Amino acid sequence: MSSTRVISVDFECRIPRKLEEALEALNEEGSQVLAGGTDLLNNIKINAVKPSRLVYVLGIPELEFISVEGGRLIVGAAALLSDIEHNRQVVSRFPALVEAINVIGGTQIRNMATLAGNLCNASPGADTPPILFVLDAEVEICWTNGGTGAQRSRLPVGGFFTGPKKTVLKQGQIVHSVSIPLPPEHSGAAFRRLARVSLDIAKINCAAYIERDGDTVHEARIALGSVAPTPVRAPTIEKALDGRRYGGGLFQEAAELVEEDIAPIDDVRSTAEYRRQIASLLVREALQEAWRRSGGKG
Amino acid sequence: MSDKTYYFLGKDFPRKEGRARVTGREVYPSDVVLPGMLYGKILRSPRPHARIKSIDFSGAQKLGAVVLAPNDTPQEFFNVRQVSVPRSTYKDWRILSDHVRQVGDPYAAVAAETEELAEQAAEAVQVEWELLPAYFSIEEAMAAEDNLIHDKVYLQDKEIPIQNNIACTREVTEGDVDKGFAEAEVIVENEFVTPRVYHCQVEPRGCTCRPEPDGGITVWPSTQALHNTRILLGQLFDIPLNKVNVIRITGGGHFGSGIHTNPVILITVALALKAGKPVKILQSREEDLYDHCRYPTRYTLKIGAKKDGTLTAGQMKAWVDIGSHHVQALAFLGVLAGWWHSLYRLPNMRYQGVAVYTNKAPTCAMQGYGAPQVTFGVETTMTILAEKLNLDPIELRANNYVGLGEIFWGQGPTIRSLIHSDGVKELLYTGAEKIGWDKRPDPKAQSGRLRRGIGVARGFHTSGTGAPVPGEVKDFTTVQVKVNEDGSIDILTALMDHGGGTLDAAAKLVAEEFGVPFDKVGISPADTRSTGYDVCTHATRGVYCGAGAVLDVAQDTKKILLDYASRILNAPADSLKTRPDEAENEGIIYVEGMPEKNITIREVAQTAMNNDWGTAISARSVRKVNCPPAYTTFFVEVEVDMETGMVRILRVVAGSDAGTVINPALAKGQLEGGFYRGAGMALLEDTDYDPKTGQLTNRGLLTDYKMLGAVDLPDPEKFEIFFAHTYEPTGPMGAKGIGEAALNPVPAAVAAAIHNATGIWFTKLPILPEDILRAVREERKRDGKKAPGKPQAVPER
Ligand SMILES: Cc1cc2nc3c(=O)[nH]c(=O)nc-3n(C[C@H](O)[C@H](O)[C@H](O)COP(=O)(O)OP(=O)(O)OC[C@H]3O[C@@H](n4cnc5c(N)ncnc54)[C@H](O)[C@@H]3O)c2cc1C
């Protein structure tokens, strides 16, 4: 039986001032990144993880930024969700990202939590992966081999998750930042979710992105959460929409194909049956809203 | 709310303890810290049903921990709940037992200098278990012949063998049921299921105990029952009661979870006695979720009526999955019959209740104590009946409810009292007008994705458990009221206030009676050594019985005071009146018709002291010999999304008949709070178990025990509250109760609103979006072949 009264395991807590310092501290087996702690501390309390060392990354200047550079929005790993959702660039260009962030916890949680933490915790039901999937976001990973400075590599967010609570990160690697290409004209994105109550982890969530060419769908991307071991794209729907002209129940028809792309289960939040039943509804709504935001009529 | 005018009643004042609460200076059980105190940790079973083969404490002892094994504790059987009289008390509890009956069942405890060390010591204890078969449903449990959850229990002192895990049964019959059904022209029968709701009081239960040099103990527990806790501790640990001091501290919430003496209190005391040092244990939220919950029920309800709506007969068969222990299920089975019997006039009724042990958390009272469960089925049935008979559901209720001049069962069949005040019709008709009942939608005429519905349900709760003839439940309160030498007044009583304002109400009544400013009436700190017995604050008895007792004793004290004043003013005592002088901040005693002949209470008290007349003080026990029903009616408007099954609550009209409303803002708070938990019970709250592991499916984590939040509830301006204009002649200045009545009809009202929107009756709570969507789809599939509105049992989730 778990008890969240006190943390009874001993661990060391490092508060580095430089990225390099943090990366070195993380190379040791048993070390783990502590960002906002809104997932990690719960997991330590219920004995789901037992790190011997926590390395606190909030406050590291190299990670604490939100910027627009080279046609991309780049969010550092130490940027707080509340900073992202109030950032002017984000608000004006990524309304759907703001929507996805806005449903996470309450204000107190968003004042602590990070986008990188939401990804690295790798919950199948996390709220930001679907929208990051459809916006073609990339994750920048960094690490040090000792003395050689920080090494970096980038990968699409779609390749980041390997299973429930699992990512590609190896010991010593951290997420440095998440970057998203600025959306082109005539594009739009939207986020939808259902939960038991307003303050909750999603029963199911979904994001859609559409690039419009006149009255046809030039490109569509759809992703869902809490319907498979990791957040997933919905390639069947995407294909069904490519190059199709809007109208005649297009979105409804395409959304019904969602069953092909998901494999939901029963859990404490909902049932596989219910998730299957409402997945297409959420996809349809997200597509409709993305279409509207892309400037499409109808 | 009566139309009389009062100095203080019916007006809002800042709560006496409000400043301490909002500035963080109130001391709750979790705040108690004593010099040299150890922190305790309870070891709880990871298995749903097992026996300890061997237990090794050496790891914990190496860490310097004090350890407590089952055989370190008295092995006598008892019941944690002591509200019932001994002849009706089943005993199946021991403080610690090597036979564990649920995940989370305590089997040992450790104490150490820090909480962390205690936690580590607990982890170092090694146990070898002999696993026993576990039962998670009533059917499984009742099919078992051996490996029972309890082999034997005691009723008072008589050993009772247990068969098929049946804890107890109860039957109640009135009139001739078969004849009643034969006379019926319509019969409605359904099965209803209500959930295992967790109290989720803000503060998990806990306790601190200090062993005293004289062999006694001082205890700071979270409890609703100061004196019952004292008596049980004295009995179990064989300490004379004059050495057991249980201190009243402000609880961090109860909802009924502290009517019984929680196991954590007993374990803390046992540990402290063994350690010879003060010990504190505060349960974690996870432990608390395995420690107590609302009684779930499953029952069939059959009601017959004539075409004009006159009820002729009723039959109810109820099964209650009580979990691992008996927190007095016999009383619970009794109240199920009682609430049912007292909702509507039923000349012929038959009730059978069966309480069954399972390997789950023990069930106990929670706000409403069976009334929300029963009211759900009865009110649903009344609306179905009205529709069948083509009668207005409001009229059917108005014509059949148990009201003025009738007999009411306040706490099961043994507590019967006459009804003296009744605002039911006012609640029904005023509420109907406010919500727009006549304009409620016709479910058959609705189409589209979002559908609106309005539902009504009414109910009541008893105000305490007093009756002319004592029954199975104890009910009295002991009070002392004294006038201080500056004219201020102290109230001393073990009565508890759970945050509803019970003690503020007592202070207001005393201020009103004496005519002194509210600020000059104080509530003394209380403990069991300085106060007489009070049964506990439960059963919505706080204001009617508890504060009522305070008023009665205040009147005794006032007599003494007026006698002193009469000597000074040279006027007969019965010509003297009192009034507050707010400007001077004094209470004034004056001669009726001669207001210039007056004296302050301060001067009277001082003169009495200086002349050695004595203090105006009195103390005694008071039992109220009635338990008037506090009626409520809820109208709820919802919107149902037919594509997702999600329900949004749009509007609420809540009417309450509480007699004289003493604390209006707090009474409204009760109705809002009652609605909030009632709607949670209707739409969300439940605790399920995984039969593979015996654990809660939420693993005890609050993350997955969902409750409605502020944003899930209607805006305050869409939540209208009104009070009936009644005066309860047997109550303190016309007052009766409110607290539990504020919840009782809510689940039924929400279900009725969902029916009005969808045309589908849901008879199993909670009504989840998953259930609604499944039912809507099935209904569609059936293609309207069957008439909509047919009751639909929702399959197991
Ligand atoms: C009350 C409450 C409500 C919540 N509601 C929601 C919700 O609605 N939707 C939702 O999606 N989530 C929700 N969460 C979960 C949580 O808040 C989010 O996942 C949050 O974004 C996690 O960020 P963090 O900074 O707190 O991560 P932390 O808890 O600090 O870390 C989470 C995990 O990621 C790792 N990590 C963090 N940063 C990095 C990095 N830069 N590189 C490598 N590893 C890293 C940590 O080691 C840890 O394993 C809720 C949590 C709570 C407590």
Side-chain angles (χ1 to χ4, degrees):
Chain A
M1 248 192 73
S2 53
S3 158
T4 58
R5 273 285 298 157
V6 292
I7 294 179
S8 64
V9 289
D10 284 328
F11 55 81
E12 175 196 7
C13 189
R14 292 271 182 99
I15 307 181
R17 258 174 275 150
K18 289 213 177 76
L19 179 58
E20 182 70 21
E21 236 182 283
L23 293 176
E24 267 168 28
L26 280 162
N27 272 335
E28 188 172 312
E29 200 63 43
S31 302
Q32 198 170 345
V33 174
L34 172 67
T38 62
D39 279 315
L40 181 56
L41 295 183
N42 305 351
N43 287 331
I44 295 176
K45 279 191 163 191
I46 63 168
N47 282 330
V49 289
K50 290 190 176 177
S52 51
R53 172 192 285 170
L54 296 184
V55 180
Y56 189 55
V57 297
L58 299 192
I60 294 180
E62 294 103 309
L63 301 177
E64 222 177 15
F65 66 93
I66 303 170
S67 63
V68 174
E69 268 168 61
R72 301 181 79 87
L73 169 76
I74 312 178
V75 177
L80 302 178
L81 292 179
S82 54
D83 290 335
I84 307 170
E85 69 177 325
H86 294 122
N87 181 287
R88 278 184 23 224
Q89 302 272 10
V90 178
V91 170
S92 65
R93 299 188 201 225
F94 297 99
L97 177 62
V98 173
E99 283 164 2
I101 289 175
N102 202 259
V103 297
I104 296 180
T107 305
Q108 295 92 329
I109 294 293
R110 296 196 298 279
N111 281 342
M112 301 282 292
T114 61
L115 186 63
N118 196 239
L119 290 180
C120 296
N121 186 57
S123 158
D127 281 314
T128 64
I131 188 68
L132 294 176
F133 272 43
V134 301
L135 292 175
D136 262 351
E138 289 184 346
V139 181
E140 179 150 329
I141 292 171
C142 73
W143 67 94
T144 182
N145 295 331
T148 57
Q151 311 281 309
R152 296 198 186 184
S153 76
R154 259 167 44 161
L155 82 160
V157 68
F160 185 69
F161 302 104
T162 54
K165 301 265 149 195
K166 288 203 190 87
T167 70
V168 296
L169 293 180
K170 299 199 183 73
Q171 181 72 51
Q173 293 187 326
I174 73 163
V175 167
H176 172 274
S177 55
V178 176
S179 75
I180 313 171
L182 297 180
E185 260 191 80
H186 310 302
S187 72
F191 172 80
R192 284 285 184 277
R193 84 160 189 177
L194 282 186
R196 292 168 294 188
V197 291
S198 46
L199 248 181
D200 195 7
I201 307 297
K203 281 182 183 177
I204 175 167
N205 56 18
C206 133
Y209 168 88
I210 290 181
E211 259 173 66
R212 184 177 57 82
D213 183 1
D215 59 0
T216 60
V217 176
H218 176 68
E219 190 184 344
R221 294 179 218 134
I222 293 117
L224 297 101
S226 215
V227 291
T230 66
V232 290
R233 283 279 282 270
T236 318
I237 309 179
E238 294 175 0
K239 256 186 246 123
L241 288 171
D242 260 0
R244 293 282 302 275
R245 180 182 281 238
Y246 177 80
L250 173 67
F251 290 160
Q252 161 129 27
E253 211 176 280
E256 265 155 29
L257 301 172
V258 72
E259 295 240 3
E260 307 278 320
D261 298 323
I262 60 176
I265 55 165
D266 290 345
D267 65 14
V268 65
R269 296 199 295 280
S270 189
T271 62
E273 181 198 9
Y274 183 75
R275 288 177 161 121
R276 245 181 259 114
Q277 286 170 348
I278 55 171
S280 69
L281 175 77
L282 290 201
V283 169
R284 189 179 82 210
E285 288 183 348
L287 282 170
Q288 195 62 49
E289 181 62 13
W291 176 257
R292 197 187 63 76
R293 286 181 178 165
S294 76
K297 297 204 177 57
Chain B
M1 191 165 35
S2 73
D3 299 323
K4 286 199 183 179
T5 54
Y6 296 99
Y7 296 117
F8 307 108
L9 305 192
K11 299 187 180 126
D12 291 317
F13 292 85
R15 303 271 292 263
K16 290 208 177 288
E17 81 290 18
R19 190 176 295 267
R21 283 192 189 235
V22 300
T23 56
R25 291 176 62 188
E26 187 65 285
V27 174
Y28 296 93
S30 51
D31 297 317
V32 175
V33 174
L34 302 176
M37 175 178 97
L38 303 180
Y39 291 84
K41 175 83 198 158
I42 298 173
L43 284 103
R44 293 177 180 274
S45 171
R47 306 287 187 179
H49 197 192
R51 247 178 243 284
I52 296 179
K53 267 206 236 163
S54 69
I55 183 161
D56 176 5
F57 284 108
S58 59
Q61 279 158 332
K62 260 188 224 126
L63 292 168
V66 178
V67 304
L68 189 74
N71 58 17
D72 291 327
T73 64
Q75 286 297 294
E76 130 181 30
F77 283 79
F78 59 93
N79 196 304
V80 286
R81 181 178 178 275
Q82 307 222 84
V83 173
S84 299
V85 295
R87 67 169 191 279
S88 305
T89 299
Y90 282 86
K91 301 173 178 174
D92 69 19
W93 291 79
R94 277 166 297 170
I95 301 174
L96 294 174
S97 163
D98 55 11
H99 180 176
V100 293
R101 299 170 163 95
Q102 60 164 116
V103 170
D105 211 2
Y107 62 85
V110 297
E113 272 165 27
T114 65
E115 218 172 333
E116 289 79 358
L117 199 59
E119 193 93 29
Q120 286 165 4
E123 271 177 35
V125 176
Q126 305 279 334
V127 184
E128 227 187 308
W129 299 102
E130 175 200 339
L131 301 187
L132 300 170
Y135 315 103
F136 298 98
S137 70
I138 288 173
E139 290 77 8
E140 280 172 353
M142 285 178 59
E145 308 261 312
D146 45 24
N147 287 313
L148 299 182
I149 298 170
H150 294 270
D151 314 313
K152 58 169 190 199
V153 305
Y154 294 85
L155 178 56
Q156 190 158 13
D157 295 315
K158 197 172 138 235
E159 192 180 309
I160 307 265
I162 294 290
Q163 282 171 350
N164 303 101
N165 285 314
I166 294 173
C168 61
T169 61
R170 194 157 187 164
E171 295 196 10
V172 179
T173 308
E174 298 263 308
D176 182 339
V177 178
D178 297 332
K179 188 172 140 260
F181 278 117
E183 284 165 15
E185 290 165 305
V186 269
I187 291 178
V188 175
E189 183 173 8
N190 283 295
E191 183 179 88
F192 296 92
V193 178
T194 66
R196 214 178 174 82
V197 171
Y198 166 57
H199 298 82
C200 211
Q201 75 288 357
V202 171
E203 183 181 57
R205 312 213 69 77
C207 182
T208 305
C209 171
R210 182 176 65 206
E212 300 296 350
D214 66 357
I217 48 173
T218 307
V219 185
W220 292 261
S222 43
T223 186
Q224 293 175 240
L226 227 48
H227 278 274
N228 288 339
T229 295
R230 171 200 219 194
I231 293 166
L232 185 61
L233 290 174
Q235 173 200 321
L236 290 177
F237 294 100
D238 202 13
I239 305 173
L241 290 185
N242 65 346
K243 292 184 178 175
V244 180
N245 202 16
V246 182
I247 314 272
R248 179 174 71 201
I249 37 176
T250 298
H254 300 294
F255 297 105
S257 62
I259 294 172
H260 63 282
T261 299
N262 303 107
V264 61
I265 298 172
L266 306 173
I267 295 169
T268 307
V269 171
L271 256 180
L273 287 172
K274 179 144 188 218
K277 283 184 181 173
V279 170
K280 171 175 181 168
I281 305 183
L282 193 66
Q283 283 181 184
S284 70
R285 180 60 69 186
E286 297 69 42
E287 293 178 271
D288 209 73
L289 258 146
Y290 281 102
D291 193 42
H292 48 82
C293 64
R294 182 190 280 285
Y295 284 103
T297 60
R298 195 177 84 202
Y299 57 95
T300 54
L301 179 66
K302 180 173 163 188
I303 291 190
K306 298 241 188 190
K307 285 212 179 105
D308 66 357
T310 312
L311 306 184
T312 61
Q315 180 167 307
M316 181 189 281
K317 211 169 169 187
W319 292 267
V320 184
D321 162 0
I322 66 166
S324 61
H325 284 281
H326 220 308
V327 190
Q328 269 317 343
L330 182 70
F332 182 77
L333 293 181
V335 295
L336 288 182
W339 308 138
W340 178 39
H341 180 266
S342 299
L343 270 164
Y344 295 102
R345 277 190 302 277
L346 269 178
N348 309 294
M349 67 176 274
R350 186 189 298 135
Y351 164 85
Q352 290 167 286
V354 184
V356 183
Y357 287 118
T358 57
N359 296 104
K360 304 182 191 171
T363 49
C364 65
M366 180 175 173
Q367 189 173 17
Y369 196 42
Q373 290 92 319
V374 167
T375 306
F376 171 54
V378 172
E379 285 297 88
T380 301
T381 304
M382 288 302 276
T383 300
I384 294 174
L385 205 54
E387 289 180 352
K388 280 203 162 189
L389 295 170
N390 250 322
L391 296 171
D392 183 340
I394 303 262
E395 288 307 321
L396 185 67
R397 288 172 166 82
N399 292 336
N400 281 292
Y401 76 92
V402 176
L404 198 65
E406 293 179 279
I407 295 291
F408 164 82
W409 294 4
Q411 190 83 181
T414 68
I415 306 287
R416 302 184 179 205
S417 85
L418 188 71
I419 300 174
H420 296 272
S421 67
D422 163 2
V424 172
K425 287 189 177 157
E426 184 183 348
L427 296 181
L428 282 169
Y429 295 137
T430 308
E433 199 180 304
K434 286 182 186 292
I435 198 90
W437 178 251
D438 290 339
K439 284 180 233 96
R440 74 189 184 284
D442 172 1
K444 283 167 229 143
Q446 293 201 63
S447 60
R449 176 165 170 186
L450 299 179
R451 301 202 187 161
R452 256 175 8 99
I454 290 177
V456 66
R458 57 164 294 273
F460 65 87
H461 207 78
T462 177
S463 310
T465 63
V469 182
E472 284 170 9
V473 196
K474 293 175 244 180
D475 198 310
F476 69 90
T477 292
T478 310
V479 182
Q480 172 190 295
V481 175
K482 84 166 192 289
V483 179
N484 294 318
E485 291 66 25
D486 63 351
S488 65
I489 296 171
D490 280 327
I491 302 170
L492 176 64
T493 170
L495 185 67
M496 306 286 295
D497 186 335
H498 308 335
T502 310
L503 291 173
D504 261 35
K508 270 192 188 165
L509 289 164
V510 170
E512 195 74 48
E513 180 65 32
F514 276 89
V516 300
F518 180 57
D519 201 36
K520 296 197 90 168
V521 180
I523 308 286
S524 302
D527 60 52
T528 52
R529 277 170 85 161
S530 58
T531 59
Y533 185 83
D534 163 68
V535 63
C536 79
T537 298
H538 77 137
T540 306
R541 71 180 291 280
V543 165
Y544 179 82
C545 298
V550 172
L551 178 62
D552 285 6
V553 176
Q555 286 164 347
D556 298 350
T557 303
K558 189 179 165 193
K559 270 207 195 96
I560 300 170
L561 180 75
L562 293 187
D563 177 53
Y564 296 159
S566 101
R567 298 188 210 174
I568 303 168
L569 291 172
N570 207 6
D574 54 12
S575 72
L576 300 180
K577 298 279 161 210
T578 58
R579 68 172 171 83
D581 182 335
E582 298 275 358
E584 297 293 323
N585 196 28
E586 297 285 355
I588 308 287
I589 301 174
Y590 62 96
V591 181
E592 193 169 27
M594 301 173 72
E596 68 289 351
K597 204 166 174 183
N598 67 55
I599 186 168
T600 62
I601 294 177
R602 177 200 297 269
E603 284 171 281
V604 175
Q606 280 178 359
T607 307
M609 175 182 69
N610 292 331
N611 290 327
D612 290 328
W613 297 344
T615 296
I617 184 168
S618 52
R620 70 179 160 105
S621 299
V622 179
R623 169 175 166 80
K624 292 288 163 187
V625 293
N626 262 293
C627 51
Y631 296 107
T632 49
T633 297
F634 278 81
F635 290 84
V636 178
E637 181 171 1
V638 300
E639 181 184 82
V640 181
D641 184 333
M642 301 296 274
E643 299 286 328
T644 62
M646 301 274 281
V647 176
R648 210 154 64 91
I649 299 159
L650 302 177
R651 207 152 59 100
V652 179
V653 174
S656 156
D657 168 13
T660 303
V661 177
I662 295 178
N663 301 317
L666 298 180
K668 286 182 181 165
Q670 291 287 305
L671 291 162
E672 287 163 353
F675 179 81
Y676 152 61
R677 290 312 293 276
M681 178 173 169
L683 297 174
L684 197 63
E685 294 186 45
D686 199 0
T687 48
D688 281 341
Y689 284 76
D690 177 351
K692 278 195 228 93
T693 60
Q695 288 191 18
L696 287 163
T697 53
N698 63 29
R699 294 177 296 149
L701 300 174
L702 207 49
T703 320
D704 286 315
Y705 185 80
K706 281 297 160 201
M707 302 169 78
L708 298 171
V711 271
D712 304 307
L713 291 162
D715 289 340
E717 65 269 22
K718 298 280 167 67
F719 198 113
E720 196 178 343
I721 290 169
F722 68 98
F723 293 98
H725 295 78
T726 50
Y727 185 91
E728 170 57 41
T730 69
M733 300 192 182
K736 38 189 181 176
I738 188 166
E740 294 174 272
L743 188 153
N744 293 346
V746 173
V750 172
I754 293 173
H755 166 256
N756 187 230
T758 61
I760 301 169
W761 278 113
F762 292 89
T763 57
K764 176 175 179 285
L765 302 179
I767 307 167
L768 301 173
E770 284 79 356
D771 302 325
I772 294 180
L773 195 59
R774 188 182 308 122
V776 165
R777 290 187 171 217
E778 277 168 16
E779 193 94 338
R780 273 188 203 148
K781 244 189 256 162
R782 262 184 261 127
D783 213 7
K785 268 176 213 141
K786 280 191 187 165
K790 171 139 187 6
Q792 173 144 4
V794 176
E796 282 298 320
R797 262 178 303 137

